[in-house]
Amino acid sequence: MRDGVLFEITKDELETGLRGFPVGYCVTSFVDPIKGLTYVGRPIAEIAYLDPLAAIYLLYYGEVGSKEQIAKFSEELAKRASCQPETLRHIEGLPHGGHPMDVFAAALLVVGMYEGTGDYREDALQAMAKLPQIAATVINSHAGWGPTPPSKPELGYIENFVHMLKFPGERKSELTQVMRMFNVLHLDHCGGNLSTFVGKAIASGLEHLWGSLAGAMTALAGPRHGRANQDCLEFVQEVLDQVGEHASPSAVEQLIRDRLKSNQLVFGFGHAVLRVEDPRATVFYQYAQKHFPTHPLIKIALHLRTEGTKVLKENPKISDPYPNVDAITGSILTAAGFPYPEYFTILFGLARCVGIAIQIVYERAEARGGKGTPIVRPLYLYKSR
Ligand code: MLT
């Protein structure tokens, strides 16, 4: 490496999605290809069972909060936890056609129009505080589950979200725990995942926080990014329908081979950065094995974990033959009593907006000695077609 030169770009590396090219610093988290995700230097497996507010505190302040500090932070968020009635009415009035992520992105713009302050730090706090109510209102009204009950932040960050969700049917006792873990494990994934990168790029033009988050959520909505959790559950369900819940691992292996032979996709494997099983997936697999070992979707997801890796490893062109986080999250949410795949990406967005907001605050108000990073403007070379 030459002095100060991190990477040299060859022509072959153009049009490859900026994979691996450093563009800045991330003060909240990092993804190592082998060790996986860390929040402020701490492996995600150690963080997974933290209270969501403790994990958010860690990302926001860059240090582990004491009990008193987290309680004070929680009070700050509680003060900001409820949107104005007019804001909520407009969110409920949004069209219900299209994917719920469209409604979620539009809802963030609506909140910005009514309640945005134009100050990145204050709006980041407002967003962290209001996200459970915004997400619950979008889901309830999109699903036609009726009016959203008033926000009760004193219940706890995710407990309040689950309280506001009005889905019909049984409320299993494990659901809140699974939703808490889901939230903590999806809060942040370094600076270069598509939605975070897009959100920060939008904010680099000095667009306000709500507009930047809305843009980030449209990026998250793509099936190659956040919506993969919905597609993966649909895939696990399809495999279950084909092989049955008592299928042996070799039956699942055969199904994977048949799909690959007929150029059909096998969902839930591979990651742009990771070269091991996603440690977030490992946490969920362990939880699923312990709490839902007999659930049909979990049984199939566990067979896919081993058999998929075995088959994909045979192809030397596949750089990451291991499960990613989406391989298991839909199955575990369903087993825990939230069988609504259309809304899984909103759960992802509820968490990820937090990491994006904190990273935007860093880039706008702290980076480069407080000057902030300049407007994103990469170089494209001209080429005739
Ligand atoms: C994420 O959590 O954002 C996904 O794993 C995608 C990524 O990191 O690129």
Side-chain angles (χ1 to χ4, degrees), residues 31 185-186 188-189 192-196 220 224-225 271-274 278 280 325-326 348 352:
V31 182
L185 293 174
H186 286 82
D188 207 39
H189 213 235
N193 67 80
L194 182 67
S195 49
T196 305
L220 189 74
R224 287 198 185 164
H225 190 14
H271 190 275
V273 179
L274 294 166
D278 188 329
R280 297 171 298 175
V325 70
D326 305 307
F348 193 157
R352 185 55 57 86

Side-chain angles (χ1 to χ4, degrees), residues 5 11 19 48-49 54 60 72 84 89 110 114 129 165 172-174 221 227 250 261 291 310 312 346 365 367 371:
V5 177
K11 281 195 171 166
R19 295 283 170 103
Y49 288 90
Y60 187 60
K72 193 156 172 266
Q84 295 158 13
R89 262 201 309 281
V110 169
Y114 282 106
L165 278 180
K172 292 196 188 165
S173 57
E174 295 97 346
R227 211 182 79 201
S250 53
K261 214 182 277 166
H291 295 269
K310 185 159 88 189
L312 296 177
I346 294 190
K371 281 195 307 221

Side-chain angles (χ1 to χ4, degrees), residues 9-261:
I9 300 177
T10 66
K11 281 195 171 166
D12 287 349
E13 287 159 320
L14 299 177
E15 301 191 329
T16 58
L18 284 171
R19 295 283 170 103
F21 292 111
V23 291
Y25 295 102
C26 178
V27 294
T28 48
S29 64
F30 186 67
V31 182
D32 178 272
I34 307 300
K35 294 185 193 137
L37 176 61
T38 44
Y39 284 174
V40 197
R42 292 173 165 73
I44 196 63
E46 281 176 20
I47 310 281
Y49 288 90
L50 278 189
D51 182 81
L53 271 186
I56 295 172
Y57 185 100
L58 174 67
L59 293 172
Y60 187 60
Y61 289 104
E63 59 185 32
V64 178
S66 66
K67 232 173 140 194
E68 295 71 35
Q69 286 169 323
I70 295 167
K72 193 156 172 266
F73 182 56
S74 159
E75 276 167 34
E76 282 303 315
L77 294 192
K79 280 192 239 162
R80 298 167 170 85
S82 295
C83 294
Q84 295 158 13
E86 203 177 5
T87 311
L88 294 173
R89 262 201 309 281
H90 275 86
I91 294 176
E92 284 165 350
L94 286 167
H96 294 158
H99 193 275
M101 278 301 281
D102 296 344
V103 189
F104 185 53
L108 292 166
L109 283 175
V110 169
V111 181
M113 284 183 240
Y114 282 106
E115 306 190 31
T117 68
D119 177 83
Y120 286 110
R121 270 185 211 283
E122 175 56 24
D123 280 348
L125 281 175
Q126 294 276 352
M128 291 189 262
K130 290 179 169 47
L131 277 161
Q133 190 186 44
I134 298 167
T137 306
V138 167
I139 295 175
N140 290 334
S141 65
H142 187 274
W145 290 340
T148 304
S151 181
K152 287 188 178 174
E154 66 279 11
L155 294 176
Y157 194 73
I158 288 300
E159 289 77 356
N160 184 26
F161 172 65
V162 174
H163 141 79
M164 286 185 281
L165 278 180
K166 294 290 288 170
F167 63 98
E170 187 195 2
R171 273 177 177 253
K172 292 196 188 165
S173 57
E174 295 97 346
L175 181 60
T176 304
Q177 179 52 33
V178 168
M179 290 270 195
R180 279 163 58 102
M181 279 168 56
F182 187 98
N183 191 262
V184 169
L185 293 174
H186 286 82
L187 286 170
D188 207 39
H189 213 235
C190 199
N193 67 80
L194 182 67
S195 49
T196 305
F197 183 69
V198 164
K200 291 189 294 184
I202 295 172
S204 79
L206 300 190
E207 163 64 340
H208 52 73
L209 186 94
W210 296 98
S212 305
L213 290 180
M217 289 303 100
T218 60
L220 189 74
R224 287 198 185 164
H225 190 14
R227 211 182 79 201
N229 59 14
Q230 170 178 350
D231 292 354
C232 278
L233 174 69
E234 285 161 4
F235 169 65
V236 179
Q237 183 66 58
E238 198 183 314
V239 176
L240 173 63
D241 293 343
Q242 281 177 32
V243 297
E245 74 164 290
H246 302 295
S248 62
S250 53
V252 174
E253 178 188 339
Q254 192 53 51
L255 180 141
I256 295 168
R257 291 191 188 284
D258 293 345
R259 278 185 82 98
L260 293 175
K261 214 182 277 166

